[in-house]
Amino acid sequence: MKESGRFGEFGGAYVPQILYPVLEQLEAQFLAAQSDESFQRELAQLLTDYAGRPTPLYRCRNLCADTKTRIYLKREDLLHGGAHKTNQVLGQALLAKRVGKTRLIAETGAGQHGVATAVVGALFGFNTTIYMGAKDVARQQPNVFRMKMLGAEVISVTTGSQTLKDAINEALRDWAASYENTHYMLGTAAGPHPFPTMVREFQKVIGIEARQQILEAEGRLPDAVIACVGGGSNAIGVFTDFIKDTGVRLIGVEPEGLGRDTEEHGMTIQKGAPGVLHGAYTHLLQDRDGQVLESYSVSAGLDYPGVGPEHVHLMKTGRAQYVGATDDIALDAFKTLCRKEGIIPALESSHALAFAMQMANEDKHKEQILVVNLSGRGDKDMETVAKIFEGRAAQ
Amino acid sequence: MNNRYDEMFKRLDGEKRGAFIPFVVVGDPSLDVSLEIIETLIAAGADALELGVPFSDPVADGPVIQAATVRALENGATPSGCFDVIRKVRGAHPDIPIGILTYCNPVISTGFDAYFKHIADTGIDSVLTADMPVAEAAAYVAAARAKAVCPVFIAPPNADEATTRKIAELTDGYTYVVTRKGVTGTDDDVQTGFSTVIDDLKKAGAPRPVVGFGISKPAHVAASITAGAAGAISGSAVVKIVEANMNNKTAMKAALTAFVKEMREATKRTV
């Protein structure tokens, strides 16, 4: 590798030897594309014409209107595909196309990354295979259908916990046999080098836009930038351009699930321990023997026992702060945004929103500007949310 | 460094044959039965053992070994339970080379020094960590060598010259040669064209090459030996026999014995 792929001590590329040269080649192609004007021009044009960038930075009119906090939403939910995922799949797909790959494989949990991959698969004419845990196939049927409509093959993974982590395992196994014609479109800022760096570089457009937009709107930087963290791609995307602005707090919100003192959560950064999962030295949920544990969250997109290594580094250095939001407060935030602003957020993004609302309500007289990355829209979550709210009404 | 692998290869050179090394997952289907399985393999003529320590996320394994891992974990096979089984095997068989196959997380989360001390104390000769590429392995290899444990690395078909040299430099005991792409599993036809890997390794001064992945028939063993390998490892084919005879231990042992015998027979050198 040309670069270390380390963020402090975290990161690296722990993969079977057969995949190492494949990652080396990907790194070289990525670095070449970064300094290639024609690549950057084509990507910028696709982000504008096809995906709908720049996305708006919207100042909430009603949310927390009884406080002195001004909450701004970075509207990644308005991006084509319905979430920030589209930013980076366009980048990776262009890269794969340039080096002559004909097939894409990807993992998906909630289905958002699978849909994004199927979108670019259709756009560029790739043969696309999506690995999805059997449990997720059952609970995310609308997205399974969307992927199929877009021409992708969806393979239900029945091994292990039958969720996202097993879908990644299966994609890695496929890639070990198929790398010659196949690009593995990893969906988040986790995994082996160069994925965490590559995904960050393709997602940092979120923060670059948000920083300019808040300066235009307020004439100053925000007090805090807040994003949810599962694997960590939307958070690293919105954080990166603010890292140099040391006066801006960066806050990552992990899924606290049923509570941080239960076993039902996905707080990898705060409650996990160092180890290797899916090719990176990072924090993961594991038992004393080093077996990987299952995570839990009401939000399938945050239900992952590992996390991108750069976030662990940002936590260790203190540049970013990681907190939690339970299922319950995320669901409250979901409902509140629907009712007050007419915006249906993804359950993932509702975790970030919930924490921002807490900050606003803690001291209603405190003047502060908060930027929340609204990473996706909540249409996909309708069934989950309806079941929960109907269940509560029946009690 | 003199080790049990060197002694084995010396003995086999005298017998004009290569090594047959069966692989099973420790704890599949249970710790007790797996001890009996390992004893059966040794009694049938296994020259060395390659033993999988079950890990929750075995990304280098195909469906057969994944299923064995699930069975072992579901039946409560912890690493310490597995090491107890291996300690018993070592106690009964002081000379047979024993290697284990594991993954990064259990090794790294234990800490290299503590991990390899435990490996040495258990009587294990070599460790192959399936998701540890040579580029990340400097501290890992140093810790293994400090405890006289052989680090084993896989030489894949796409290794370039520099990688092959690095593999040769960091590997002790034997070199695990993989002749095809993909994960573990059984193939109908062993892939050809691997003699270049073996030749490259020999040029680089690597420990003796042993072929694994896809070895399920005597013809695969014979082809490996003819291509210059010092032995062959068969995993999924052995695990399949365990899986197919889960409810009949007598039949399982008979089938394992027959399989080891015919595979071992195919290790004879014709030249």
Side-chain angles (χ1 to χ4, degrees), chain A residues 6 13-14 17-18 20 159 165 169 173 176 180 275-276 286 290-292, chain B residues 54-59 61 66 79 105 130-131 133-136 158 181-182:
Chain A
R6 295 274 171 175
Y14 297 90
Q17 188 69 48
I18 194 164
Y20 199 84
T159 53
K165 98 179 159 69
N169 291 342
R173 290 178 187 121
E180 280 175 354
V276 171
Q286 55 183 318
Q291 308 288 7
V292 183
Chain B
F55 174 57
S56 55
D57 293 78
V59 293
D61 284 307
Q66 283 177 53
N105 194 50
D131 51 351
V134 285
E136 298 282 3
N158 61 349
K181 296 182 283 179

PDB file of all heavy atoms in Angstrom, chain A residues 6 13-14 17-18 20 159 165 169 173 176 180 275-276 286 290-292, chain B residues 54-59 61 66 79 105 130-131 133-136 158 181-182:
ATOM      1  N   ARG A   6      -3.920   4.019   8.393  1.00  0.00           N
ATOM      2  CA  ARG A   6      -4.092   4.042   9.854  1.00  0.00           C
ATOM      3  C   ARG A   6      -4.588   5.404  10.309  1.00  0.00           C
ATOM      4  O   ARG A   6      -4.169   6.434   9.787  1.00  0.00           O
ATOM      5  CB  ARG A   6      -2.764   3.762  10.545  1.00  0.00           C
ATOM      6  CG  ARG A   6      -2.219   2.373  10.283  1.00  0.00           C
ATOM      7  CD  ARG A   6      -2.789   1.374  11.258  1.00  0.00           C
ATOM      8  NE  ARG A   6      -2.410   0.011  10.844  1.00  0.00           N
ATOM      9  CZ  ARG A   6      -2.687  -1.079  11.549  1.00  0.00           C
ATOM     10  NH1 ARG A   6      -3.341  -0.991  12.678  1.00  0.00           N
ATOM     11  NH2 ARG A   6      -2.333  -2.257  11.114  1.00  0.00           N
ATOM     12  N   ALA A  13      -5.335  -3.207   7.074  1.00  0.00           N
ATOM     13  CA  ALA A  13      -6.020  -4.078   6.103  1.00  0.00           C
ATOM     14  C   ALA A  13      -5.781  -5.534   6.476  1.00  0.00           C
ATOM     15  O   ALA A  13      -4.840  -6.169   6.020  1.00  0.00           O
ATOM     16  CB  ALA A  13      -5.522  -3.790   4.689  1.00  0.00           C
ATOM     17  N   TYR A  14      -6.629  -6.050   7.358  1.00  0.00           N
ATOM     18  CA  TYR A  14      -6.521  -7.442   7.817  1.00  0.00           C
ATOM     19  C   TYR A  14      -7.465  -8.304   6.993  1.00  0.00           C
ATOM     20  O   TYR A  14      -8.635  -8.462   7.331  1.00  0.00           O
ATOM     21  CB  TYR A  14      -6.845  -7.529   9.312  1.00  0.00           C
ATOM     22  CG  TYR A  14      -5.863  -6.763  10.162  1.00  0.00           C
ATOM     23  CD1 TYR A  14      -6.078  -5.421  10.477  1.00  0.00           C
ATOM     24  CD2 TYR A  14      -4.693  -7.363  10.621  1.00  0.00           C
ATOM     25  CE1 TYR A  14      -5.167  -4.711  11.235  1.00  0.00           C
ATOM     26  CE2 TYR A  14      -3.774  -6.666  11.377  1.00  0.00           C
ATOM     27  CZ  TYR A  14      -4.020  -5.337  11.682  1.00  0.00           C
ATOM     28  OH  TYR A  14      -3.112  -4.631  12.433  1.00  0.00           O
ATOM     29  N   GLN A  17      -4.675 -13.151   2.528  1.00  0.00           N
ATOM     30  CA  GLN A  17      -3.587 -12.703   1.642  1.00  0.00           C
ATOM     31  C   GLN A  17      -4.043 -12.516   0.199  1.00  0.00           C
ATOM     32  O   GLN A  17      -3.605 -11.596  -0.479  1.00  0.00           O
ATOM     33  CB  GLN A  17      -2.438 -13.726   1.703  1.00  0.00           C
ATOM     34  CG  GLN A  17      -1.176 -13.301   0.980  1.00  0.00           C
ATOM     35  CD  GLN A  17      -0.473 -12.136   1.684  1.00  0.00           C
ATOM     36  OE1 GLN A  17      -0.260 -12.140   2.888  1.00  0.00           O
ATOM     37  NE2 GLN A  17      -0.136 -11.115   0.916  1.00  0.00           N
ATOM     38  N   ILE A  18      -4.960 -13.361  -0.267  1.00  0.00           N
ATOM     39  CA  ILE A  18      -5.392 -13.288  -1.668  1.00  0.00           C
ATOM     40  C   ILE A  18      -6.063 -11.942  -1.972  1.00  0.00           C
ATOM     41  O   ILE A  18      -6.009 -11.459  -3.103  1.00  0.00           O
ATOM     42  CB  ILE A  18      -6.328 -14.473  -2.024  1.00  0.00           C
ATOM     43  CG1 ILE A  18      -6.485 -14.563  -3.547  1.00  0.00           C
ATOM     44  CG2 ILE A  18      -7.681 -14.373  -1.339  1.00  0.00           C
ATOM     45  CD1 ILE A  18      -7.050 -15.880  -4.034  1.00  0.00           C
ATOM     46  N   TYR A  20      -5.252  -9.036  -0.481  1.00  0.00           N
ATOM     47  CA  TYR A  20      -4.376  -7.890  -0.224  1.00  0.00           C
ATOM     48  C   TYR A  20      -3.963  -7.156  -1.504  1.00  0.00           C
ATOM     49  O   TYR A  20      -4.108  -5.932  -1.589  1.00  0.00           O
ATOM     50  CB  TYR A  20      -3.161  -8.313   0.617  1.00  0.00           C
ATOM     51  CG  TYR A  20      -2.506  -7.128   1.279  1.00  0.00           C
ATOM     52  CD1 TYR A  20      -2.979  -6.629   2.487  1.00  0.00           C
ATOM     53  CD2 TYR A  20      -1.436  -6.468   0.671  1.00  0.00           C
ATOM     54  CE1 TYR A  20      -2.413  -5.519   3.084  1.00  0.00           C
ATOM     55  CE2 TYR A  20      -0.857  -5.352   1.259  1.00  0.00           C
ATOM     56  CZ  TYR A  20      -1.351  -4.885   2.469  1.00  0.00           C
ATOM     57  OH  TYR A  20      -0.786  -3.778   3.049  1.00  0.00           O
ATOM     58  N   THR A 159     -26.217 -17.616   6.937  1.00  0.00           N
ATOM     59  CA  THR A 159     -25.197 -18.054   7.893  1.00  0.00           C
ATOM     60  C   THR A 159     -25.127 -17.079   9.070  1.00  0.00           C
ATOM     61  O   THR A 159     -25.570 -15.941   8.981  1.00  0.00           O
ATOM     62  CB  THR A 159     -23.812 -18.125   7.222  1.00  0.00           C
ATOM     63  OG1 THR A 159     -23.560 -16.868   6.591  1.00  0.00           O
ATOM     64  CG2 THR A 159     -23.765 -19.222   6.193  1.00  0.00           C
ATOM     65  N   LYS A 165     -23.505  -8.110   9.419  1.00  0.00           N
ATOM     66  CA  LYS A 165     -22.120  -8.570   9.524  1.00  0.00           C
ATOM     67  C   LYS A 165     -21.902  -9.837   8.695  1.00  0.00           C
ATOM     68  O   LYS A 165     -20.844 -10.016   8.099  1.00  0.00           O
ATOM     69  CB  LYS A 165     -21.707  -8.733  10.984  1.00  0.00           C
ATOM     70  CG  LYS A 165     -21.768 -10.121  11.573  1.00  0.00           C
ATOM     71  CD  LYS A 165     -21.314 -10.124  13.024  1.00  0.00           C
ATOM     72  CE  LYS A 165     -21.826 -11.342  13.773  1.00  0.00           C
ATOM     73  NZ  LYS A 165     -21.217 -12.609  13.342  1.00  0.00           N
ATOM     74  N   ASN A 169     -19.403 -10.660   5.481  1.00  0.00           N
ATOM     75  CA  ASN A 169     -18.577 -11.871   5.377  1.00  0.00           C
ATOM     76  C   ASN A 169     -18.773 -12.541   4.032  1.00  0.00           C
ATOM     77  O   ASN A 169     -17.824 -12.959   3.368  1.00  0.00           O
ATOM     78  CB  ASN A 169     -18.951 -12.879   6.476  1.00  0.00           C
ATOM     79  CG  ASN A 169     -18.549 -12.415   7.869  1.00  0.00           C
ATOM     80  OD1 ASN A 169     -17.723 -11.536   8.020  1.00  0.00           O
ATOM     81  ND2 ASN A 169     -19.160 -13.014   8.880  1.00  0.00           N
ATOM     82  N   ARG A 173     -16.204 -13.230   0.874  1.00  0.00           N
ATOM     83  CA  ARG A 173     -15.937 -14.572   0.329  1.00  0.00           C
ATOM     84  C   ARG A 173     -16.111 -14.567  -1.183  1.00  0.00           C
ATOM     85  O   ARG A 173     -15.313 -15.145  -1.924  1.00  0.00           O
ATOM     86  CB  ARG A 173     -16.877 -15.596   0.969  1.00  0.00           C
ATOM     87  CG  ARG A 173     -16.570 -15.863   2.426  1.00  0.00           C
ATOM     88  CD  ARG A 173     -17.581 -16.855   3.038  1.00  0.00           C
ATOM     89  NE  ARG A 173     -17.367 -16.973   4.466  1.00  0.00           N
ATOM     90  CZ  ARG A 173     -18.272 -16.708   5.399  1.00  0.00           C
ATOM     91  NH1 ARG A 173     -19.498 -16.344   5.064  1.00  0.00           N
ATOM     92  NH2 ARG A 173     -17.974 -16.825   6.677  1.00  0.00           N
ATOM     93  N   ALA A 176     -13.127 -12.854  -2.836  1.00  0.00           N
ATOM     94  CA  ALA A 176     -11.887 -13.634  -2.861  1.00  0.00           C
ATOM     95  C   ALA A 176     -11.827 -14.522  -4.102  1.00  0.00           C
ATOM     96  O   ALA A 176     -10.751 -14.923  -4.541  1.00  0.00           O
ATOM     97  CB  ALA A 176     -11.765 -14.476  -1.597  1.00  0.00           C
ATOM     98  N   GLU A 180     -11.229 -10.489 -10.054  1.00  0.00           N
ATOM     99  CA  GLU A 180     -10.703 -10.084 -11.363  1.00  0.00           C
ATOM    100  C   GLU A 180     -11.690  -9.240 -12.162  1.00  0.00           C
ATOM    101  O   GLU A 180     -11.300  -8.284 -12.818  1.00  0.00           O
ATOM    102  CB  GLU A 180     -10.255 -11.312 -12.166  1.00  0.00           C
ATOM    103  CG  GLU A 180      -8.876 -11.757 -11.698  1.00  0.00           C
ATOM    104  CD  GLU A 180      -8.394 -13.029 -12.348  1.00  0.00           C
ATOM    105  OE1 GLU A 180      -9.167 -13.670 -13.094  1.00  0.00           O
ATOM    106  OE2 GLU A 180      -7.237 -13.398 -12.092  1.00  0.00           O
ATOM    107  N   GLY A 275     -10.209  -4.589  18.413  1.00  0.00           N
ATOM    108  CA  GLY A 275     -10.055  -5.891  17.777  1.00  0.00           C
ATOM    109  C   GLY A 275     -10.196  -5.717  16.282  1.00  0.00           C
ATOM    110  O   GLY A 275     -10.220  -4.584  15.781  1.00  0.00           O
ATOM    111  N   VAL A 276     -10.297  -6.837  15.565  1.00  0.00           N
ATOM    112  CA  VAL A 276     -10.392  -6.785  14.108  1.00  0.00           C
ATOM    113  C   VAL A 276     -11.727  -7.343  13.656  1.00  0.00           C
ATOM    114  O   VAL A 276     -12.089  -8.470  14.006  1.00  0.00           O
ATOM    115  CB  VAL A 276      -9.252  -7.586  13.446  1.00  0.00           C
ATOM    116  CG1 VAL A 276      -9.486  -7.724  11.948  1.00  0.00           C
ATOM    117  CG2 VAL A 276      -7.910  -6.900  13.698  1.00  0.00           C
ATOM    118  N   GLN A 286     -17.705  -7.595  21.349  1.00  0.00           N
ATOM    119  CA  GLN A 286     -17.167  -8.953  21.378  1.00  0.00           C
ATOM    120  C   GLN A 286     -17.205  -9.499  22.793  1.00  0.00           C
ATOM    121  O   GLN A 286     -17.282  -8.742  23.749  1.00  0.00           O
ATOM    122  CB  GLN A 286     -15.724  -8.952  20.851  1.00  0.00           C
ATOM    123  CG  GLN A 286     -14.798  -7.982  21.578  1.00  0.00           C
ATOM    124  CD  GLN A 286     -13.393  -7.951  20.977  1.00  0.00           C
ATOM    125  OE1 GLN A 286     -12.840  -8.982  20.630  1.00  0.00           O
ATOM    126  NE2 GLN A 286     -12.831  -6.773  20.837  1.00  0.00           N
ATOM    127  N   GLY A 290     -13.205 -13.185  22.285  1.00  0.00           N
ATOM    128  CA  GLY A 290     -12.965 -12.559  20.981  1.00  0.00           C
ATOM    129  C   GLY A 290     -13.970 -12.962  19.916  1.00  0.00           C
ATOM    130  O   GLY A 290     -13.742 -12.736  18.728  1.00  0.00           O
ATOM    131  N   GLN A 291     -15.086 -13.589  20.343  1.00  0.00           N
ATOM    132  CA  GLN A 291     -16.153 -13.871  19.372  1.00  0.00           C
ATOM    133  C   GLN A 291     -16.980 -12.596  19.206  1.00  0.00           C
ATOM    134  O   GLN A 291     -17.249 -11.894  20.180  1.00  0.00           O
ATOM    135  CB  GLN A 291     -17.074 -15.003  19.853  1.00  0.00           C
ATOM    136  CG  GLN A 291     -16.360 -16.274  20.278  1.00  0.00           C
ATOM    137  CD  GLN A 291     -15.779 -17.079  19.120  1.00  0.00           C
ATOM    138  OE1 GLN A 291     -15.777 -16.653  17.977  1.00  0.00           O
ATOM    139  NE2 GLN A 291     -15.260 -18.249  19.430  1.00  0.00           N
ATOM    140  N   VAL A 292     -17.367 -12.312  17.961  1.00  0.00           N
ATOM    141  CA  VAL A 292     -18.091 -11.081  17.684  1.00  0.00           C
ATOM    142  C   VAL A 292     -19.544 -11.231  18.141  1.00  0.00           C
ATOM    143  O   VAL A 292     -20.189 -12.247  17.867  1.00  0.00           O
ATOM    144  CB  VAL A 292     -18.029 -10.749  16.175  1.00  0.00           C
ATOM    145  CG1 VAL A 292     -18.714  -9.416  15.896  1.00  0.00           C
ATOM    146  CG2 VAL A 292     -16.575 -10.717  15.704  1.00  0.00           C
TER     147      VAL A 292
ATOM    148  N   PRO B  54     -12.852 -22.593  16.396  1.00  0.00           N
ATOM    149  CA  PRO B  54     -14.037 -21.915  15.861  1.00  0.00           C
ATOM    150  C   PRO B  54     -14.099 -20.422  16.197  1.00  0.00           C
ATOM    151  O   PRO B  54     -13.901 -20.036  17.340  1.00  0.00           O
ATOM    152  CB  PRO B  54     -15.208 -22.665  16.505  1.00  0.00           C
ATOM    153  CG  PRO B  54     -14.631 -23.571  17.534  1.00  0.00           C
ATOM    154  CD  PRO B  54     -13.186 -23.724  17.265  1.00  0.00           C
ATOM    155  N   PHE B  55     -14.366 -19.617  15.166  1.00  0.00           N
ATOM    156  CA  PHE B  55     -14.502 -18.159  15.302  1.00  0.00           C
ATOM    157  C   PHE B  55     -15.832 -17.747  14.686  1.00  0.00           C
ATOM    158  O   PHE B  55     -16.251 -18.306  13.667  1.00  0.00           O
ATOM    159  CB  PHE B  55     -13.324 -17.460  14.601  1.00  0.00           C
ATOM    160  CG  PHE B  55     -13.450 -15.952  14.556  1.00  0.00           C
ATOM    161  CD1 PHE B  55     -13.596 -15.223  15.735  1.00  0.00           C
ATOM    162  CD2 PHE B  55     -13.422 -15.269  13.351  1.00  0.00           C
ATOM    163  CE1 PHE B  55     -13.719 -13.839  15.703  1.00  0.00           C
ATOM    164  CE2 PHE B  55     -13.543 -13.877  13.310  1.00  0.00           C
ATOM    165  CZ  PHE B  55     -13.687 -13.164  14.483  1.00  0.00           C
ATOM    166  N   SER B  56     -16.465 -16.764  15.280  1.00  0.00           N
ATOM    167  CA  SER B  56     -17.821 -16.371  14.867  1.00  0.00           C
ATOM    168  C   SER B  56     -17.922 -15.882  13.422  1.00  0.00           C
ATOM    169  O   SER B  56     -18.980 -15.982  12.816  1.00  0.00           O
ATOM    170  CB  SER B  56     -18.339 -15.271  15.802  1.00  0.00           C
ATOM    171  OG  SER B  56     -17.422 -14.178  15.837  1.00  0.00           O
ATOM    172  N   ASP B  57     -16.828 -15.355  12.861  1.00  0.00           N
ATOM    173  CA  ASP B  57     -16.907 -14.737  11.539  1.00  0.00           C
ATOM    174  C   ASP B  57     -15.798 -15.232  10.606  1.00  0.00           C
ATOM    175  O   ASP B  57     -14.886 -14.467  10.251  1.00  0.00           O
ATOM    176  CB  ASP B  57     -16.863 -13.209  11.681  1.00  0.00           C
ATOM    177  CG  ASP B  57     -18.108 -12.692  12.379  1.00  0.00           C
ATOM    178  OD1 ASP B  57     -18.181 -12.816  13.619  1.00  0.00           O
ATOM    179  OD2 ASP B  57     -19.019 -12.211  11.682  1.00  0.00           O
ATOM    180  N   PRO B  58     -15.887 -16.503  10.181  1.00  0.00           N
ATOM    181  CA  PRO B  58     -14.799 -17.105   9.404  1.00  0.00           C
ATOM    182  C   PRO B  58     -14.833 -16.726   7.921  1.00  0.00           C
ATOM    183  O   PRO B  58     -15.288 -17.494   7.082  1.00  0.00           O
ATOM    184  CB  PRO B  58     -15.031 -18.614   9.602  1.00  0.00           C
ATOM    185  CG  PRO B  58     -16.511 -18.743   9.794  1.00  0.00           C
ATOM    186  CD  PRO B  58     -16.978 -17.460  10.443  1.00  0.00           C
ATOM    187  N   VAL B  59     -14.300 -15.548   7.581  1.00  0.00           N
ATOM    188  CA  VAL B  59     -14.443 -15.017   6.212  1.00  0.00           C
ATOM    189  C   VAL B  59     -13.654 -15.791   5.158  1.00  0.00           C
ATOM    190  O   VAL B  59     -13.921 -15.631   3.977  1.00  0.00           O
ATOM    191  CB  VAL B  59     -14.054 -13.531   6.095  1.00  0.00           C
ATOM    192  CG1 VAL B  59     -15.023 -12.661   6.860  1.00  0.00           C
ATOM    193  CG2 VAL B  59     -12.629 -13.280   6.552  1.00  0.00           C
ATOM    194  N   ASP B  61     -13.574 -19.064   5.016  1.00  0.00           N
ATOM    195  CA  ASP B  61     -14.109 -20.421   4.903  1.00  0.00           C
ATOM    196  C   ASP B  61     -15.388 -20.492   4.091  1.00  0.00           C
ATOM    197  O   ASP B  61     -16.244 -19.610   4.176  1.00  0.00           O
ATOM    198  CB  ASP B  61     -14.364 -20.990   6.306  1.00  0.00           C
ATOM    199  CG  ASP B  61     -13.069 -21.399   6.977  1.00  0.00           C
ATOM    200  OD1 ASP B  61     -12.313 -22.177   6.359  1.00  0.00           O
ATOM    201  OD2 ASP B  61     -12.801 -20.938   8.095  1.00  0.00           O
ATOM    202  N   GLN B  66     -17.841 -23.384   7.551  1.00  0.00           N
ATOM    203  CA  GLN B  66     -18.717 -22.458   8.292  1.00  0.00           C
ATOM    204  C   GLN B  66     -19.732 -23.229   9.122  1.00  0.00           C
ATOM    205  O   GLN B  66     -19.973 -22.913  10.289  1.00  0.00           O
ATOM    206  CB  GLN B  66     -19.504 -21.571   7.329  1.00  0.00           C
ATOM    207  CG  GLN B  66     -18.739 -20.436   6.708  1.00  0.00           C
ATOM    208  CD  GLN B  66     -19.648 -19.694   5.733  1.00  0.00           C
ATOM    209  OE1 GLN B  66     -20.737 -19.283   6.084  1.00  0.00           O
ATOM    210  NE2 GLN B  66     -19.200 -19.548   4.504  1.00  0.00           N
ATOM    211  N   PRO B  79     -12.562 -21.185  23.081  1.00  0.00           N
ATOM    212  CA  PRO B  79     -11.140 -21.406  22.796  1.00  0.00           C
ATOM    213  C   PRO B  79     -10.465 -22.231  23.892  1.00  0.00           C
ATOM    214  O   PRO B  79      -9.691 -23.145  23.585  1.00  0.00           O
ATOM    215  CB  PRO B  79     -10.566 -19.988  22.730  1.00  0.00           C
ATOM    216  CG  PRO B  79     -11.726 -19.131  22.326  1.00  0.00           C
ATOM    217  CD  PRO B  79     -12.929 -19.754  22.961  1.00  0.00           C
ATOM    218  N   ASN B 105      -9.107 -11.615  15.167  1.00  0.00           N
ATOM    219  CA  ASN B 105      -9.659 -10.990  16.376  1.00  0.00           C
ATOM    220  C   ASN B 105      -9.315 -11.711  17.677  1.00  0.00           C
ATOM    221  O   ASN B 105      -8.906 -11.063  18.630  1.00  0.00           O
ATOM    222  CB  ASN B 105     -11.162 -10.756  16.266  1.00  0.00           C
ATOM    223  CG  ASN B 105     -11.630  -9.812  17.356  1.00  0.00           C
ATOM    224  OD1 ASN B 105     -11.049  -8.751  17.537  1.00  0.00           O
ATOM    225  ND2 ASN B 105     -12.613 -10.232  18.132  1.00  0.00           N
ATOM    226  N   ALA B 130      -6.010 -16.634   9.343  1.00  0.00           N
ATOM    227  CA  ALA B 130      -6.463 -16.580   7.951  1.00  0.00           C
ATOM    228  C   ALA B 130      -6.611 -15.168   7.397  1.00  0.00           C
ATOM    229  O   ALA B 130      -6.497 -14.961   6.198  1.00  0.00           O
ATOM    230  CB  ALA B 130      -7.792 -17.329   7.810  1.00  0.00           C
ATOM    231  N   ASP B 131      -6.862 -14.188   8.270  1.00  0.00           N
ATOM    232  CA  ASP B 131      -7.021 -12.812   7.770  1.00  0.00           C
ATOM    233  C   ASP B 131      -5.857 -11.917   8.198  1.00  0.00           C
ATOM    234  O   ASP B 131      -6.024 -10.703   8.335  1.00  0.00           O
ATOM    235  CB  ASP B 131      -8.372 -12.215   8.197  1.00  0.00           C
ATOM    236  CG  ASP B 131      -8.639 -12.341   9.687  1.00  0.00           C
ATOM    237  OD1 ASP B 131      -7.876 -13.042  10.385  1.00  0.00           O
ATOM    238  OD2 ASP B 131      -9.620 -11.740  10.169  1.00  0.00           O
ATOM    239  N   PRO B 133      -2.568 -10.749   6.656  1.00  0.00           N
ATOM    240  CA  PRO B 133      -1.668 -10.752   5.499  1.00  0.00           C
ATOM    241  C   PRO B 133      -0.248 -10.399   5.943  1.00  0.00           C
ATOM    242  O   PRO B 133      -0.066  -9.785   6.991  1.00  0.00           O
ATOM    243  CB  PRO B 133      -2.252  -9.655   4.602  1.00  0.00           C
ATOM    244  CG  PRO B 133      -2.901  -8.699   5.554  1.00  0.00           C
ATOM    245  CD  PRO B 133      -3.382  -9.521   6.730  1.00  0.00           C
ATOM    246  N   VAL B 134       0.740 -10.773   5.164  1.00  0.00           N
ATOM    247  CA  VAL B 134       2.128 -10.543   5.587  1.00  0.00           C
ATOM    248  C   VAL B 134       2.428  -9.063   5.805  1.00  0.00           C
ATOM    249  O   VAL B 134       3.239  -8.716   6.664  1.00  0.00           O
ATOM    250  CB  VAL B 134       3.152 -11.156   4.591  1.00  0.00           C
ATOM    251  CG1 VAL B 134       3.205 -12.665   4.745  1.00  0.00           C
ATOM    252  CG2 VAL B 134       2.868 -10.751   3.159  1.00  0.00           C
ATOM    253  N   ALA B 135       1.763  -8.191   5.066  1.00  0.00           N
ATOM    254  CA  ALA B 135       2.051  -6.758   5.189  1.00  0.00           C
ATOM    255  C   ALA B 135       1.712  -6.205   6.576  1.00  0.00           C
ATOM    256  O   ALA B 135       2.240  -5.182   6.984  1.00  0.00           O
ATOM    257  CB  ALA B 135       1.274  -5.968   4.127  1.00  0.00           C
ATOM    258  N   GLU B 136       0.827  -6.876   7.300  1.00  0.00           N
ATOM    259  CA  GLU B 136       0.433  -6.394   8.633  1.00  0.00           C
ATOM    260  C   GLU B 136       1.107  -7.203   9.743  1.00  0.00           C
ATOM    261  O   GLU B 136       0.795  -7.023  10.916  1.00  0.00           O
ATOM    262  CB  GLU B 136      -1.098  -6.508   8.807  1.00  0.00           C
ATOM    263  CG  GLU B 136      -1.929  -5.683   7.847  1.00  0.00           C
ATOM    264  CD  GLU B 136      -1.999  -4.200   8.226  1.00  0.00           C
ATOM    265  OE1 GLU B 136      -1.356  -3.789   9.213  1.00  0.00           O
ATOM    266  OE2 GLU B 136      -2.711  -3.460   7.507  1.00  0.00           O
ATOM    267  N   ASN B 158      -2.212 -15.373  -6.628  1.00  0.00           N
ATOM    268  CA  ASN B 158      -1.961 -14.040  -7.195  1.00  0.00           C
ATOM    269  C   ASN B 158      -0.801 -13.308  -6.515  1.00  0.00           C
ATOM    270  O   ASN B 158      -0.680 -12.093  -6.647  1.00  0.00           O
ATOM    271  CB  ASN B 158      -3.232 -13.185  -7.138  1.00  0.00           C
ATOM    272  CG  ASN B 158      -3.720 -12.966  -5.700  1.00  0.00           C
ATOM    273  OD1 ASN B 158      -3.245 -13.612  -4.762  1.00  0.00           O
ATOM    274  ND2 ASN B 158      -4.672 -12.060  -5.521  1.00  0.00           N
ATOM    275  N   LYS B 181      -8.453 -19.397  -6.533  1.00  0.00           N
ATOM    276  CA  LYS B 181      -9.073 -18.258  -5.877  1.00  0.00           C
ATOM    277  C   LYS B 181     -10.185 -18.750  -4.954  1.00  0.00           C
ATOM    278  O   LYS B 181     -10.567 -19.908  -4.982  1.00  0.00           O
ATOM    279  CB  LYS B 181      -9.652 -17.317  -6.939  1.00  0.00           C
ATOM    280  CG  LYS B 181      -8.579 -16.706  -7.825  1.00  0.00           C
ATOM    281  CD  LYS B 181      -9.164 -15.749  -8.837  1.00  0.00           C
ATOM    282  CE  LYS B 181      -9.824 -16.489  -9.973  1.00  0.00           C
ATOM    283  NZ  LYS B 181     -10.426 -15.571 -10.956  1.00  0.00           N
ATOM    284  N   GLY B 182     -10.700 -17.839  -4.120  1.00  0.00           N
ATOM    285  CA  GLY B 182     -11.868 -18.171  -3.323  1.00  0.00           C
ATOM    286  C   GLY B 182     -11.548 -18.643  -1.919  1.00  0.00           C
ATOM    287  O   GLY B 182     -10.457 -18.433  -1.407  1.00  0.00           O
TER     288      GLY B 182
END
